[in-house]
């Protein structure tokens, strides 16, 4: 059952990735604004919780946990995220490089999956290899031109996220069948 839940959560995450990719594709800048607003609200909320915890806890615990500092920083970061969305979106090329690194690591991980499947003499070992090559190519494209317009970049990221989600569903399904076959 635990193995099923692990694979189910991987597939569920991959499907969520596809849905997010589609949303980004349809409304890229609006999605970015929504994410920044949600992160800002969450940071403010956690900041307020930490401030309250500081005054509710005993002096000893309050000194050790530094909740007041965490709370004030959370509120400042939250307000910054909400008020500075345009500036944050203007530094999107830096974010795209980070995303490119994440895609690159995913591609490298898929190379290992492919090699593992090949070592297990599975006939579908080529699928994760193709996925790995595409992921690595996507990351190289991001690295080559991280300074494209924000909307174009979001569309590219959306397509990348959709492909990654599809690849992850396929890989998780293949790995689940292999694990089931070998009772791993």
């Amino acid at each position: 059952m635990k193995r099923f839940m692990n694979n189910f959560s991987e597939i569920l995450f991959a499907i969520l990735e596809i849905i997010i990719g589609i949303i980004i594709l349809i409304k890229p800048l609006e999605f970015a604004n929504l994410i920044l607003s949600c992160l800002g609200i969450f940071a403010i909320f956690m900041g307020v919780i930490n401030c309250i915890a500081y005054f509710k806890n005993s002096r000893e615990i309050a000194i050790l946990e530094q909740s007041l500092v965490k709370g004030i920083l959370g509120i400042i970061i939250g307000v910054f995220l909400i008020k500075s969305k345009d500036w944050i979106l203007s530094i999107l090329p830096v974010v795209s490089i980070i995303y490119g690194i994440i895609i690159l690591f995913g591609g490298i991980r898929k190379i290992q999956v492919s090699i593992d499947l090949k070592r297990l003499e599975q006939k579908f070992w080529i699928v994760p290899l193709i996925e790995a090559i595409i992921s690595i190519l996507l990351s190289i494209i991001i690295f080559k031109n991280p300074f494209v317009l924000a909307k174009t970049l979001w569309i590219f990221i959306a397509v990348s996220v959709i492909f990654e989600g599809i690849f992850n569903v396929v890989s998780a399904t293949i790995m689940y069948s292999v694990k089931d076959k070998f009772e791993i």
Side-chain angles (χ1 to χ4, degrees):
M1 181 67 170
K2 184 179 177 184
R3 189 174 64 216
F4 171 76
M5 290 307 291
N6 285 343
N7 287 308
F8 179 74
S9 63
E10 283 184 44
I11 291 173
L12 192 61
F13 181 76
I15 291 170
L16 181 64
E17 205 172 16
I18 294 168
I19 292 169
I20 289 172
I22 292 169
I23 292 170
I24 294 171
L25 189 60
I26 295 170
K27 299 272 187 185
L29 295 177
E30 292 84 350
F31 181 80
N33 279 316
L34 176 67
I35 292 298
L36 291 172
S37 294
C38 289
L39 288 173
I41 291 167
F42 181 74
I44 291 169
F45 176 74
M46 293 307 294
V48 169
I49 296 293
N50 275 305
C51 288
I52 292 169
Y54 175 80
F55 291 107
K56 281 185 88 174
N57 289 330
S58 68
R59 290 179 300 195
E60 296 80 14
I61 292 175
I63 290 170
L64 291 173
E65 291 186 356
Q66 301 287 305
S67 298
L68 185 60
V69 171
K70 291 176 188 174
I72 292 170
L73 280 174
I75 293 169
I76 291 170
I77 289 169
V79 170
F80 175 77
L81 287 172
I82 292 170
K83 294 288 186 183
S84 303
K85 290 185 275 194
D86 291 335
W87 178 81
I88 293 169
L89 290 174
S90 74
I91 63 165
L92 202 55
V94 175
V95 175
S96 69
I97 291 171
I98 293 168
Y99 179 70
I101 292 168
I102 293 169
I103 294 281
L104 179 64
F105 284 140
I108 293 168
R109 185 182 145 273
K110 287 178 183 123
I111 289 173
Q112 179 176 339
V113 169
S114 176
I115 292 169
D116 292 341
L117 289 173
K118 177 75 172 159
R119 290 179 68 199
L120 292 171
E121 299 177 1
Q122 296 298 304
K123 61 182 174 182
F124 294 112
W125 68 271
I126 194 78
V127 174
L129 182 61
I130 293 168
E131 295 170 359
I133 291 168
I134 293 171
S135 295
I136 291 169
L137 288 174
L138 288 173
S139 68
I140 290 170
I141 291 169
I142 291 172
F143 295 144
K144 285 263 192 200
N145 193 9
F147 299 101
V148 295
L149 295 172
K151 187 172 181 171
T152 306
L153 178 63
W154 277 108
I155 292 170
F156 179 77
I157 288 173
V159 171
S160 301
V161 168
I162 292 168
F163 277 116
E164 281 294 305
I166 292 168
F167 295 159
N168 290 337
V169 168
V170 172
S171 290
T173 305
I174 290 171
M175 287 306 292
Y176 180 73
S177 66
V178 169
K179 288 176 185 176
D180 196 41
K181 184 177 182 181
F182 288 100
E183 296 180 21
I184 297 173

